[in-house]
Amino acid sequence: MERDNFTEKVKAWAQGVASAVRSANPALKQFRATVKYKYGIPERIRLSFPRHYVFVEKGVGKGRKINSGKETPKPAINPAIEANIEQLADIAADNLADVAINRFFIK
């Protein structure tokens, strides 16, 4: 596994998702994706956004309930993640398979 290549691919994936969310709904300009590391290897991708983005996503707020018909849902976060999650799985599978195999052998 090439650590730098894997790290760059994960960072690019996270930034691509953040960019897709912001382009799908320009009101979500504070949406951020950051990568957290453990021992220099990406361990977690954190998606952060203000709490009110959930209400925009679901189309609720000011006493309105989900599917009330008064506010139109503007989904941007879930569709962007769903469209790109397979790509992240492929990146992880390609780069972490060596790590999994090497754990079986005592050196």
Side-chain angles (χ1 to χ4, degrees), residues 22-74:
R22 288 191 297 266
S23 66
N25 188 346
L28 304 179
K29 61 185 172 208
Q30 292 179 344
F31 186 89
R32 300 283 181 260
T34 55
V35 180
K36 300 296 175 183
Y37 302 92
K38 187 172 188 177
Y39 307 116
I41 297 174
E43 179 187 45
R44 177 178 310 170
I45 299 171
R46 178 181 294 172
L47 304 175
S48 59
F49 48 89
R51 184 172 181 244
H52 70 274
Y53 284 7
V54 175
F55 302 114
V56 172
E57 179 93 3
K58 297 293 182 184
V60 298
K62 297 183 183 177
R64 298 181 192 110
K65 297 184 179 187
I66 294 177
N67 298 326
S68 67
K70 294 181 181 179
E71 193 71 38
T72 306
K74 298 173 184 148

Side-chain angles (χ1 to χ4, degrees), residues 2 9 13-14 19 31 42 44 46 59-60 62 66 72 74 80 82 84 87 89-90 97-98 103:
E2 295 178 30
K9 285 182 180 181
W13 182 89
S19 181
F31 186 89
R44 177 178 310 170
R46 178 181 294 172
V60 298
K62 297 183 183 177
I66 294 177
T72 306
K74 298 173 184 148
E82 289 170 358
N84 292 295
Q87 181 185 7
D90 292 340
D98 295 339
R103 289 192 179 247

